[in-house]
Amino acid sequence: MSAMVKVRQSTIIDAPVADVWRILRNFNGHDRWHPAIVASAIEGIVPADAVGSVRRLRLSDGSELREQLLSLSDERLLLTYCLLDGPLPLIDYVASIRVKRVTDGDRTFWEWHCEFKPPADRRDELVRLVTEDIYQNGFAAIRQLLRRVSSSPAVESRPSASPASSSGPLNERSSPRSVARSRAIIVSHYGGPEVLELKEIVLPQLAWGEVRIRHTAIGVNFIDVYCRNGSFNLLKPPAAPGMEAAGVIEAIGDGVTDFKIGDRVAYACLPVGAYSERRNMSPELMVSLSSDISDETAAATLLKGVTASFLLHDVHAVKPSEIVLIHAAAGGVGQLLTQWARQLGATVIGVVSSDDKAHIVDRLGAHHVIVRSGENFAEAAIRMTNGVGVNVVYDAVGRETFEESVAALAVRGHLVSFGQASGTIGERDVNRLTSKSATLSLPNYVHYTDSPDKLEPHIVRFFSALRKGLIQVQPPKKYDLANAADAHRDLESRRTTGPLILTV
Amino acid sequence: MAKVYVSSVINVPAAEVWRVVRDFNALPKWTPFVADSLIEQNMRADQIGCVRNFRLKDGGLIRERLLAMSDYDLSYTYSILESPMGVENYVASLTLTPVTDGNVTFAEWQAEFDCAPERESALVRQIGVNVFQAAFDSLKERLER
C-alpha cells in the first residue's frame, strides 16, 4: 500500500519573470535546458502549448517517459502536467510549475510541485530523485542558462542589415523582447463567414526558436472554412484561422539560426493563425523566397502547389499512360492538378460545375471536360475511356461525388478523396471497391508535409514547375484582411475560380 | 479597479516572517509608518472580522477589517473601512511562500481598490512604494540582521 507524497521545491532566479516563463512554458523544450533530458518530442500533430499534448522524453540513461500537459496559463504563469508512463514507479504523478514576479529587484520566484504515490519501500529514494535530480538540477540549469543568455551580446544584436528591414517600422520591433501588436481575424466560435471578426491582439514575446513574421499576403483555402465552421479541429476558438502566408521576418527569438531579420519567407503549415498582420511561429517549415517568386504568388499557391505535388507524386504517382479524372478542375488545387497531370503525360478529364468553368479547364489543357450539372460524369468518363474507366480520380467534392467517382474507376483504379466541399463522405460501404480491386486514399495534408524532409521535395518541385512555366497560376483575387468574411462567402459559393488572398 | 502588486524575498524562513506579520495588531512593531494600533471591541487579533484601528505617524487614522487568515497558506486578507487615502472597495492580501532553496521567504502584498481616475497612478505608487515595499524593507532589516 502506498501513500501520496508531495514534493515542493522553490527558488529565486535573478532574471525577469517573462524570461523565465518563456523558457518554462515550452512543454516541448525542456530538453534544451534540463540536464536529465536528452530529447523531447510531441506526439501527433499537436502544438506544444495545446492542453492535452503529450511529450515523449528520452533521458540521459536511455529510458523514455511520456507526460501530458494538463493546464497552461499565461495569465497565472502556471503549467501542470502528469506522467503517463515511464521507467520509474511514480504512480499518479501530477506536477505543476509556477512562476511569479518578485517586484523587488525584478526577479522570479519559481516553484515546482508534485504529488505521487511511490511504493513504500522506494519512497525516500524517489522523493530524493524528484527533489534533487529533477527539480533542484532544473533550477540550477535555468539559472545557468539565463546567466549565459544575459551575458551574451549575440542575443540582442541579431543581423538587421538587410535592405528590407531598414525601412519602415521594422527596426523598432526587431527585439525579441519587444511587445508587438497585430490586427487579426479571430474566430470566437465556430460558424458561418460572419464569425470572422477583425480584432487587435498583442503578441507574446518570442519563445525559444520562434520568429515573428510580418505578413504581406495570406492564402485563403477551403481548409480555412473547415477550421472556421468546426469540421476540422485544427482551430480552437478564440483563434485566427489560416495556414498559408508570405511575408518578412521582423524579429527572431533565441536559438534561431536558419533565418535572419529581413528574410522573405512563405509557409503552408500548422498551426493555424495566418489571418493576421503578424504572428510568432517556429520557422521549421518556412521556405525562403527567391526574388523571382512574389509574395502574392507564394501566398496564393504554396499550399495548393504542395498539395498538388504530393497528390500527383506520393498519394498516387501518375504515370504517362494513365487516365486521370479531376473534380473541381477549375478550383485552386484543381487547376494545378489539371495542368500538372497533363505535363506528366496523363490523359486528363476535368469535371466542373458550369460552362464558364469548363472553358477555363479547356484552356488549361484538359483532354476532356465534363460539366457535372449537365451529365452523369461517371457514365461520360466510362464512355470517353471506351468502357475501361479511369486510373485515378482526384476528388475534393466529397459527399456528392463519391459514389459516381467509384463508378468511374477502372479495375485497380484509385480514388483519392482529399476534400469535402459538399460535405464529408460519411459512412460508405467499402465492399463495392472489391469488385474492381479499387484503392481508396484519404490523404491529410499534414501527414505529407509536417517535417522539413517531407515538405522540401514538394516545394522544390512546385517552384521549379512554376519557374519553367509547366504550370501557370491565375492572378489571385485580393481582399483586404478585414474583409476575410467576403473571401469565405465567395469561396463557399463556388463563384470563384483560382486563388484568393488577403492582403495586409 | 486599480491594482497594486509588490513582492520581495526576505532572507529568513517563512515561519519566522509569519510569526511577526501574522499579528494583525502589530503594524507599529514592523512597519516604519504606524504610530499605534488597537483591535476594536476587545476582539482577538486573529479573530476573523476584527477591526484594527491604527494611527499613522503623520496623524492619519485608518480602520481595517480582517476578512480571512490562513496559518496553512501563511496569508491574510483585509479591507479598509476608513482612511484618509480616498479609496473605495479596498481589499488587500499579504501572503508568504517558503522558498526551499536557501530556506527563505517569498513575500507578496497586493491590493485592489476604486478611486478617482486621475488619482489612480499616484495612489498605486504611494501604496506600492511607500507602504508595501517600505514595510517589506523594514521587515527585512529587522529580521535579516
Side-chain angles (χ1 to χ4, degrees):
Chain A
M1 191 58 209
S2 56
M4 189 72 94
V5 297
K6 295 183 187 186
V7 173
R8 190 183 295 276
Q9 288 293 307
S10 48
T11 194
I12 306 293
I13 302 286
D14 194 11
V17 71
D19 290 358
V20 179
W21 180 241
R22 197 154 42 92
I23 297 169
L24 297 182
R25 88 180 284 285
N26 183 357
F27 192 57
N28 192 28
H30 289 201
D31 57 322
R32 296 180 195 165
W33 53 271
H34 202 292
I37 305 171
V38 176
S40 171
I42 296 288
E43 296 184 353
I45 311 301
V46 179
D49 52 7
V51 171
S53 69
V54 174
R55 67 179 178 189
R56 186 180 287 273
L57 302 179
R58 194 165 76 246
L59 305 182
S60 44
D61 64 2
S63 61
E64 289 202 343
L65 55 91
R66 295 166 68 240
E67 290 179 325
Q68 184 166 34
L69 184 65
L70 299 177
S71 76
L72 177 66
S73 170
D74 283 329
E75 197 251 324
R76 297 178 61 200
L77 309 184
L78 170 73
L79 75 88
T80 58
Y81 60 97
C82 67
L83 183 66
L84 298 178
D85 46 66
L88 290 169
L90 299 166
I91 298 152
D92 295 342
Y93 177 93
V94 178
S96 65
I97 285 176
R98 178 171 70 123
V99 293
K100 287 190 158 196
R101 178 165 177 229
V102 182
T103 58
D104 185 1
D106 198 13
R107 292 169 288 166
T108 300
F109 167 76
W110 171 12
E111 184 181 74
W112 210 336
H113 168 258
C114 73
E115 295 184 359
F116 62 96
K117 288 184 202 150
D121 60 331
R122 297 189 65 183
R123 179 182 188 278
D124 293 350
E125 168 210 347
L126 291 170
V127 166
R128 194 165 52 243
L129 178 139
V130 170
T131 303
E132 295 173 8
D133 297 356
I134 304 183
Y135 296 177
Q136 291 178 357
N137 284 351
F139 291 162
I142 289 288
R143 190 171 283 122
Q144 183 71 30
L145 182 74
L146 286 170
R147 187 177 297 140
R148 199 164 59 229
V149 167
S150 58
S151 63
S152 155
V155 173
E156 293 294 343
S157 58
R158 295 283 182 183
S160 58
S162 147
S165 69
S166 60
S167 62
L170 286 178
N171 284 341
E172 299 161 26
R173 301 176 197 275
S174 60
S175 164
R177 307 253 190 281
S178 69
V179 172
R181 291 179 173 279
S182 170
R183 292 185 308 146
I185 296 291
I186 301 296
V187 172
S188 303
H189 55 272
Y190 296 132
E194 72 283 355
V195 304
L196 298 171
E197 288 184 309
L198 188 71
K199 299 198 171 161
E200 170 132 342
I201 58 171
V202 175
L203 298 179
Q205 290 188 341
L206 286 172
W208 271 74
E210 277 188 344
V211 303
R212 188 160 69 235
I213 175 172
R214 180 174 53 83
H215 292 143
T216 50
I218 300 153
V220 176
N221 295 285
F222 231 99
I223 195 168
D224 305 340
V225 172
Y226 304 145
C227 288
R228 187 205 71 211
N229 65 23
S231 312
F232 285 5
N233 63 358
L234 299 173
L235 180 152
K236 296 226 167 44
M243 285 177 61
E244 178 182 41
V248 179
I249 291 188
E250 66 171 20
I252 57 178
D254 299 338
V256 174
T257 52
D258 296 345
F259 292 92
K260 61 182 190 304
I261 291 169
D263 281 355
R264 289 179 61 234
V265 294
Y267 63 85
C269 61
L270 290 173
V272 297
Y275 285 21
S276 56
E277 270 177 334
R278 41 174 61 87
R279 70 183 294 196
N280 297 348
M281 68 187 294
S282 161
E284 192 186 20
L285 298 179
M286 283 185 187
V287 291
S288 291
L289 292 179
S290 53
S291 56
D292 58 344
I293 306 244
S294 72
D295 289 8
E296 290 186 358
T297 298
T301 61
L302 190 56
L303 190 136
K304 298 172 191 77
V306 167
T307 302
S309 177
F310 75 72
L311 289 174
L312 294 169
H313 297 89
D314 281 0
V315 179
H316 182 97
V318 171
K319 291 186 277 295
S321 57
E322 288 189 320
I323 302 166
V324 176
L325 185 144
I326 297 164
H327 283 289
V333 177
Q335 291 199 14
L336 298 180
L337 288 173
T338 301
Q339 299 173 75
W340 212 341
R342 185 182 168 115
Q343 290 293 336
L344 291 169
T347 301
V348 177
I349 302 172
V351 180
V352 294
S353 58
S354 72
D355 290 338
D356 289 347
K357 289 179 178 177
H359 292 306
I360 293 170
V361 175
D362 195 41
R363 280 202 305 274
L364 293 174
H367 298 88
H368 307 280
V369 183
I370 301 170
V371 180
R372 186 149 64 88
S373 52
E375 57 182 323
N376 177 316
F377 72 82
E379 281 175 18
I382 297 287
R383 192 174 65 243
M384 287 168 185
T385 55
N386 300 320
V388 175
V390 304
N391 300 103
V392 57
V393 174
Y394 288 106
D395 188 347
V397 177
R399 185 195 305 274
E400 287 177 11
T401 49
F402 184 86
E403 293 297 335
E404 269 197 83
S405 289
V406 173
L409 288 176
V411 167
R412 293 172 61 183
H414 190 174
L415 171 54
V416 180
S417 178
F418 69 100
Q420 46 183 348
S422 66
T424 64
I425 60 172
E427 286 189 25
R428 300 284 174 171
D429 179 9
V430 293
N431 289 309
R432 286 194 48 218
L433 301 176
T434 58
S435 65
K436 294 180 173 178
S437 295
T439 304
L440 172 63
S441 291
L442 303 165
N444 177 326
Y445 180 86
V446 171
H447 298 149
Y448 288 83
T449 59
D450 62 356
S451 74
D453 288 352
K454 293 183 203 168
L455 185 61
E456 174 93 23
H458 299 303
I459 302 261
V460 169
R461 200 184 273 137
F462 171 60
F463 280 163
S464 162
L466 264 188
R467 287 191 187 99
K468 288 182 193 155
L470 299 180
I471 45 181
Q472 292 179 354
V473 184
Q474 259 181 274
K477 185 168 183 196
K478 297 181 204 172
Y479 302 76
D480 189 85
L481 174 64
N483 301 326
D486 293 338
H488 276 216
R489 281 186 197 101
D490 289 351
L491 187 64
E492 284 179 272
S493 71
R494 303 188 201 173
R495 277 199 298 269
T496 62
T497 59
L500 277 55
I501 60 169
L502 308 175
T503 54
V504 183
Chain B
M1 181 70 80
K3 293 183 183 185
V4 182
Y5 176 82
V6 168
S7 53
S8 187
V9 178
I10 300 168
N11 291 311
V12 296
E16 238 175 89
V17 183
W18 183 241
R19 207 176 301 135
V20 174
V21 303
R22 180 186 189 279
D23 184 348
F24 197 55
N25 195 29
L27 289 180
K29 288 187 198 158
W30 64 275
T31 65
F33 43 76
V34 176
D36 51 59
S37 171
L38 61 83
I39 300 289
E40 294 181 359
Q41 298 185 349
N42 219 15
M43 286 167 82
R44 286 173 55 107
D46 52 10
Q47 194 172 351
I48 301 307
C50 77
V51 175
R52 66 181 173 194
N53 184 323
F54 58 95
R55 194 162 50 89
L56 301 173
K57 286 184 176 161
D58 67 9
L61 280 172
I62 299 181
R63 295 174 67 236
E64 291 176 338
R65 182 190 297 281
L66 182 64
L67 300 178
M69 177 179 280
S70 168
D71 280 327
Y72 182 74
D73 296 317
L74 311 186
S75 175
Y76 58 82
T77 302
Y78 59 91
S79 62
I80 287 184
L81 302 179
E82 282 179 53
S83 85
M85 293 192 295
V87 294
E88 286 180 12
N89 304 314
Y90 180 104
V91 176
S93 294
L94 176 62
T95 304
L96 307 180
T97 307
V99 181
T100 58
D101 194 359
N103 196 16
V104 297
T105 304
F106 174 54
E108 299 171 276
W109 206 336
Q110 49 205 319
E112 289 189 357
F113 58 87
D114 295 320
C115 64
E118 67 276 11
R119 297 188 58 231
E120 178 173 322
S121 60
L123 273 170
V124 166
R125 200 168 47 248
Q126 155 75 9
I127 294 167
V129 177
N130 299 342
V131 181
F132 295 173
Q133 186 59 45
F136 279 156
D137 286 344
S138 82
L139 193 60
K140 283 161 71 78
E141 202 173 300
R142 176 192 155 109
L143 291 170
E144 286 179 4
R145 42 159 203 252

